[in-house]
């Protein structure tokens, strides 16, 4: 049975000064889901959150919450809290007062508030910071206070706008873990914004890849990573080789003049396509052993494995391998059929966007 | 080393413009005509006429400051959010009178408020009873408000536009209504502007003699008028200086009270 959507954005369009930022944007969020909006800077992620939070009115379209239209409802009347991209802590209050703000407004008891503040500070790893002033905290600490301030209210929906952007890698991983635990514990629905694709893939139930106000692809992290629907998604999520190819017939694609077996069907015959191959899926061997012969042109150690460029068949292939092949070495490459991802070429930009926005 | 050189002119200015004149006033204030030391000039504030003038000045200054604040703060809020306000145009309109000669503006009100002035002519024309506020404290307060309002608007507006829009949105996001946002976020964050606005409005109102002369017609005697009188027609510089010293003390005390009030205010926010 399909669960009813908790939040639904219906045909939302928004432009600023004549510039279209969101174009007929549609999104359904189920109760308890962790959805991440992922996309390059300026693609409209914050604008989407602001429309949900009630700080921006869409030019057209509706915002639905539990089947009710809340498009014109004031922000303070919505059961939604936001962790702002720019923290937005109250500079006239100390840390404890900042966190207590929402609880005081809703008239909670002193005891309850005190416990909650303490609990929230512990959660974000800043116990004992109650009396500190906002500007005595580092950017990362302020960011964590912003998270604490939002979650103590236990809203139905939490909007998080790059909430871990100012943290170092270790702390970020810790906080990712804490956020997920918290979400499961409190049953809060998360709408999360990031431009860090790794973060999006590790944390979310569902990833929405956006570009220029359009949804490029929506799906589970595995779907987004393994089966990108178009070149933009493939390029944006992880490194990848995006190559022009021709689909000769079902399960046969021609790349760089060589024939590669693949598993895709139904593209027709002699159809130009985009081919996506992840760098870690390229199998390097001795010359003549693979499908294409080439030569290593660069080699960088990036931790765990080596990232190499291989010039083969007139294309510079990006490959990752735990075995290092020195620059200048002659090698061959091949790819197992299930690791070759075939995509239709976009006919025109508009058509591409329309086709992908469904 | 170089810093010292640059601060030289400022030190010289402070010496000539502030410290020496203050010393001279203090000297006159605690001596009599013959140059002998005395506290009489200072004590003179407690005599009937002087004390009354001081109290009246305090009261009128307080009333006009409160009125200014009640106009300036909401106006600042409106200007902050209006499209025109962002371009500074509306603020410019409100500040414009500031650049006109102060005495001229006050005299204009005299002409407007006169028994047969424009306002009463208009009121008479539309059949309303005429207004008799010229030469009363009410006219003086009106003059003070008109003259010092721009000085109040500017710092308050500046403080208001400096408040981060995100912070106000965060307050709404956490469930606060307009009044709570005002009370807990906007007002506390605009305190510096309010304080300098009050300072800019209260102090000149307290010490003015021009406004009360022109709009009070000699019937509203403020402490400023008395001091002016001693320095001019009365030519008792010692008494004038003594009373000025007392005024300064009053101003310092009022400022300290305002400061203290802020602190308490800030502490009370939650
Ligand atoms: N209030 C506004 N007035 C004018 N233009 C705006 C306004 N808010 C956003 N924009 C524009 O809308 C576009 C999308 O902005 P948005 O803040 O949603 O981007 P984003 O995806 O959150 O980017 P980032 O990852 O950098 O935060 C940008 O081009 C931005 O300049
Ligand atoms: Mg953003």
């Amino acid at each position: 049975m399909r669960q009813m959507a908790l939040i639904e954005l219906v045909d939302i369009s928004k432009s600023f000064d004549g510039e279209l930022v969101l174009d007929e944007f549609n999104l359904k969020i189920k109760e308890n889901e962790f959805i991440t909006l992922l996309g390059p800077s300026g693609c409209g992620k914050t604008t989407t959150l602001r429309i949900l939070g009630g700080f921006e009115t869409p030019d057209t379209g509706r915002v639905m919450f539990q089947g009710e239209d809340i498009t014109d409802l004031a922000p303070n009347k919505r059961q939604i809290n936001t962790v702002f991209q720019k923290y937005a802590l109250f500079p006239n209050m100390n840390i404890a007062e900042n966190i207590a703000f929402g609880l005081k407004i809703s008239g909670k008891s002193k005891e309850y508030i005190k416990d909650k503040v303490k609990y929230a500070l512990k959660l974000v790893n800043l116990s004992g910071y109650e009396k500190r002033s906002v500007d005595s905290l580092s950017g990362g600490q302020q960011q964590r206070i912003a998270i604490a301030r939002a979650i103590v209210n236990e809203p139905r929906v939490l909007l998080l706008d790059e909430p871990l952007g100012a943290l170092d890698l270790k702390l970020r991983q810790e906080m990712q873990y804490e956020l997920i635990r918290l979400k499961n514990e409190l049953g809060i629905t998360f709408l999360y914004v990031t431009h860090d694709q790794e973060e999006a893939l590790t944390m979310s139930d569902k990833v929405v890849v956006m570009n220029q106000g359009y949804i490029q692809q929506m799906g589970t992290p595995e779907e987004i990573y393994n089966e990108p629907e178009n070149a933009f998604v493939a390029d944006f999520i992880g490194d990848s080789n995006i190559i022009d190819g021709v689909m000769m017939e079902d399960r046969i694609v021609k790349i760089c003049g060589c024939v590669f077996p693949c598993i895709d069907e139904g593209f027709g015959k002699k159809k130009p396509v985009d081919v996506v191959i992840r760098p870690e899926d390229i199998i390097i061997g001795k010359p003549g052993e693979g499908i294409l012969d080439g030569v290593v042109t660069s080699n960088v150690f990036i931790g765990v494995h080596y990232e190499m460029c291989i010039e083969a068949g007139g294309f510079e292939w990006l490959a990752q391998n735990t075995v290092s092949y020195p620059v200048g070495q002659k090698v061959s490459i091949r790819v197992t059929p299930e690791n070759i991802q075939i995509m239709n070429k976009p006919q025109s930009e508009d058509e591409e966007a329309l086709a992908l926005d469904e | 080393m170089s810093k010292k050189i640059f601060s030289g002119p400022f030190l010289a200015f402070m010496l000539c413009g502030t410290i020496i004149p203050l010393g001279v006033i203090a000297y006159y204030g605690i001596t009599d005509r013959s140059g002998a030391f005395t506290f009489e000039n200072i004590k003179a504030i407690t005599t009937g006429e002087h004390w009354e003038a001081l109290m009246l000045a305090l009261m009128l200054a307080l009333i006009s400051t409160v009125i200014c604040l009640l106009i300036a703060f909401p106006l600042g809020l409106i200007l902050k959010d209006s499209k025109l306000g962002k371009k500074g145009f509306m603020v410019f309109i409100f500040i414009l009178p500031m650049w006109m000669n102060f005495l001229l503006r006050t005299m204009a009100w005299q002409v407007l408020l006169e028994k047969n002035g424009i306002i009463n002519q208009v009121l008479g024309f539309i059949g309303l009873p005429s207004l008799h506020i010229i030469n009363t404290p009410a006219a003086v307060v009106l003059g003070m408000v008109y003259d010092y309002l721009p000085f109040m608007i500017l710092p308050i507006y500046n403080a208001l536009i400096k408040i981060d829009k995100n912070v106000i949105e965060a307050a709404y996001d956490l469930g606060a209504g307009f009044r709570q946002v005002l009370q807990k976020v906007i007002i506390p964050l605009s305190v510096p502007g309010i304080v300098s606005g009050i300072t800019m409005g209260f102090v000149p109102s307290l010490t003015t003699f021009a406004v009360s002369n022109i709009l009070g017609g000699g019937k509203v005697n403020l402490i400023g008028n008395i001091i002016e009188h001693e320095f001019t027609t009365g030519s008792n510089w010692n008494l004038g200086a003594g009373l000025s010293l007392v005024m300064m003390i009053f101003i310092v005390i009022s400022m300290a009270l305002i400061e203290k009030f802020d602190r308490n205010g800030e502490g009370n926010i939650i």
Side-chain angles (χ1 to χ4, degrees):
Chain A
M1 199 191 87
R2 282 203 56 194
Q3 215 181 327
M4 194 186 79
L6 179 65
I7 287 182
E8 209 173 327
L9 293 177
V10 189
D11 292 336
I12 301 277
S13 294
K14 176 82 190 170
S15 44
F16 290 110
D17 313 320
E19 198 191 320
L20 204 56
V21 174
L22 290 178
D23 193 2
E24 311 238 318
F25 191 89
N26 283 284
L27 182 65
K28 277 185 192 164
I29 304 172
K30 278 183 255 163
E31 178 108 49
N32 238 324
E33 213 171 13
F34 192 129
I35 294 200
T36 300
L37 300 181
L38 180 63
S41 185
C43 71
K45 304 182 297 289
T46 298
T47 306
T48 309
L49 289 200
R50 288 176 60 77
I51 287 172
L52 258 172
F55 301 109
E56 226 52 270
T57 356
D59 299 339
T60 60
R62 308 271 86 194
V63 182
M64 311 294 282
F65 186 83
Q66 288 184 310
E68 257 175 69
D69 189 335
I70 59 160
T71 318
D72 300 316
L73 197 67
N76 54 333
K77 300 278 190 319
R78 302 188 182 196
Q79 298 173 37
I80 298 176
N81 281 148
T82 311
V83 177
F84 289 85
Q85 187 167 12
K86 293 170 192 140
Y87 324 148
L89 299 179
F90 306 118
N92 53 317
M93 304 176 199
N94 68 25
I95 297 309
E97 289 164 342
N98 260 283
I99 298 176
F101 190 89
L103 298 173
K104 276 191 181 139
I105 296 283
S106 59
K108 295 284 191 300
S109 77
K110 270 214 161 79
E111 281 307 300
Y112 178 88
I113 292 177
K114 213 176 145 202
D115 286 352
K116 271 283 176 189
V117 169
K118 209 165 166 191
Y119 162 78
L121 280 173
K122 186 149 171 263
L123 198 90
V124 296
N125 241 325
L126 290 172
S127 291
Y129 277 63
E130 280 92 344
K131 292 274 173 293
R132 292 278 292 268
S133 71
V134 169
D135 32 286
S136 75
L137 262 56
S138 75
Q141 289 169 334
Q142 292 190 21
Q143 194 158 42
R144 282 180 281 160
I145 297 300
I147 295 174
R149 183 179 66 176
I151 53 166
V152 284
N153 304 294
E154 300 181 12
R156 290 289 296 281
V157 180
L158 193 58
L159 310 177
L160 301 105
D161 200 347
E162 301 192 24
L164 309 179
L167 306 185
D168 61 76
L169 185 65
K170 188 162 173 293
L171 197 54
R172 184 153 64 212
Q173 284 167 346
E174 264 174 53
M175 286 301 301
Q176 287 174 359
Y177 174 79
E178 287 298 332
L179 282 176
I180 291 174
R181 195 176 59 82
L182 200 79
K183 175 192 159 284
N184 295 333
E185 209 171 273
L186 301 176
I188 303 177
T189 305
F190 273 40
L191 183 58
Y192 197 93
V193 163
T194 181
H195 52 226
D196 178 347
Q197 40 115 354
E198 209 174 301
E199 190 167 284
L201 296 179
T202 39
M203 294 178 83
S204 342
D205 298 327
K206 198 188 211 178
V207 178
V208 179
V209 183
M210 291 173 69
N211 189 30
Q212 298 179 339
Y214 291 109
I215 293 183
Q216 299 289 331
Q217 186 175 353
M218 187 154 35
T220 64
E222 289 86 353
E223 284 166 358
I224 297 282
Y225 190 84
N226 293 331
E227 294 149 39
E229 275 173 16
N230 60 40
F232 175 82
V233 177
D235 193 34
F236 195 72
I237 308 285
D239 294 320
S240 50
N241 298 288
I242 302 172
I243 319 150
D244 288 332
V246 179
M247 203 68 188
M248 302 309 287
E249 56 189 84
D250 282 355
R251 278 170 285 172
I252 298 286
V253 63
K254 198 170 182 181
I255 315 166
C256 302
C258 290
V259 168
F260 284 72
C262 63
I263 56 167
D264 293 78
E265 298 178 350
F267 282 85
K269 292 199 174 187
K270 302 240 162 127
K271 178 93 196 297
V273 289
D274 277 331
V275 181
V276 174
I277 299 168
R278 296 282 178 200
E280 66 269 24
D281 293 334
I282 291 179
I283 302 163
I284 306 176
K286 292 204 183 80
E289 275 183 359
I291 298 173
L292 267 171
D293 280 347
V295 67
V296 178
T297 55
S298 79
N299 182 335
V300 187
F301 181 61
I302 55 166
V304 187
H305 43 228
Y306 297 85
E307 192 166 273
M308 288 161 277
C309 287
I310 297 168
E311 178 85 43
F315 183 80
E316 184 137 281
W317 300 76
L318 189 69
Q320 287 174 357
N321 208 309
T322 47
V323 181
S324 174
Y325 294 84
V327 174
Q329 177 149 349
K330 289 207 165 63
V331 293
S332 70
I333 56 174
R334 63 189 172 89
V335 186
T336 54
E338 59 278 13
N339 285 333
I340 294 178
Q341 178 72 25
I342 309 286
M343 300 172 314
N344 272 317
K345 274 201 177 298
Q347 275 107 350
S348 76
E349 242 176 62
D350 277 354
E351 256 177 86
E352 169 191 33
L354 274 178
L356 296 166
D357 200 34
E358 285 163 359
Chain B
M1 191 57 210
S2 63
K3 265 191 191 158
K4 267 190 192 159
I5 294 170
F6 283 120
S7 63
F10 297 104
L11 288 177
F13 175 79
M14 258 175 64
L15 198 67
C16 301
T18 314
I19 297 175
I20 293 176
L22 255 175
V24 172
I25 296 264
Y27 171 76
Y28 273 102
I30 54 170
T31 52
D32 62 19
R33 272 173 208 261
S34 63
F37 176 80
T38 174
F39 266 133
E40 285 308 311
N41 301 322
I42 303 221
K43 271 194 238 155
I45 192 74
T46 54
T47 59
E49 184 203 10
H50 295 160
W51 186 252
E52 260 169 43
L54 176 65
M55 286 304 123
L56 187 63
L58 270 175
M59 196 172 76
L60 297 191
L62 211 63
I63 295 174
S64 77
T65 307
V66 168
I67 295 175
C68 280
L69 198 57
L70 290 180
I71 298 174
F73 195 83
L75 192 69
L77 278 183
I78 295 168
L79 292 180
K80 176 175 99 84
D81 291 329
S82 78
K83 279 264 147 54
L84 288 166
K86 269 182 198 131
K87 287 171 203 138
F89 177 72
M90 292 292 277
V91 182
F92 171 76
I93 295 287
F94 278 95
I95 301 303
L96 202 60
M98 219 163 88
W99 298 339
M100 227 182 330
N101 184 285
F102 162 81
L103 287 175
L104 217 60
R105 277 181 286 152
T106 315
M107 275 170 352
W109 273 110
Q110 188 183 28
V111 176
L112 285 173
L113 292 173
E114 262 171 357
K115 215 176 197 172
N116 299 315
I118 296 172
I119 291 185
N120 279 336
Q121 279 179 20
V122 171
L123 286 177
F125 185 75
I126 54 175
L128 288 172
S130 56
L131 198 64
H132 297 291
I133 67 164
I134 188 75
N135 301 344
T136 66
V140 176
V141 169
L142 185 104
M144 288 173 173
V145 170
Y146 184 75
D147 283 332
Y148 303 124
L149 184 62
F151 294 97
M152 186 87 106
I153 292 176
L154 204 56
I156 289 183
Y157 172 77
N158 279 335
L160 285 174
I161 52 168
K162 272 200 209 111
I163 299 178
D164 183 359
K165 197 180 94 216
N166 285 291
V167 167
I168 294 173
E169 286 184 351
Y172 281 114
D173 187 76
L174 292 163
F178 175 71
R179 277 192 54 183
Q180 285 161 315
V181 174
L182 203 61
Q183 208 180 343
K184 293 177 184 228
V185 180
I186 297 178
I187 291 178
L189 288 178
S190 54
V191 156
I194 295 174
V195 169
S196 52
I198 290 178
T199 314
M200 307 281 271
F202 181 75
V203 175
S205 306
L206 185 62
T207 53
T208 189
F209 54 85
V211 178
S212 43
N213 264 351
I214 297 169
L215 296 175
K219 291 191 186 105
V220 182
N221 232 356
L222 302 184
I223 189 73
N225 298 94
I226 289 183
I227 294 173
E228 186 228 357
H229 176 83
E230 293 307 334
F231 274 104
T232 53
T233 33
S235 49
N236 185 349
W237 284 27
N238 301 86
L239 181 58
L243 294 177
S244 304
L245 281 180
V246 177
M247 284 302 295
M248 266 172 56
I249 292 166
F250 259 86
I251 289 167
V252 169
I253 292 174
S254 346
M255 288 303 106
L257 280 178
I258 293 172
E259 286 279 307
K260 189 163 176 287
F261 177 75
D262 291 345
R263 297 262 165 70
N264 288 346
E266 260 172 276
N268 283 340
I269 282 153
I270 291 260

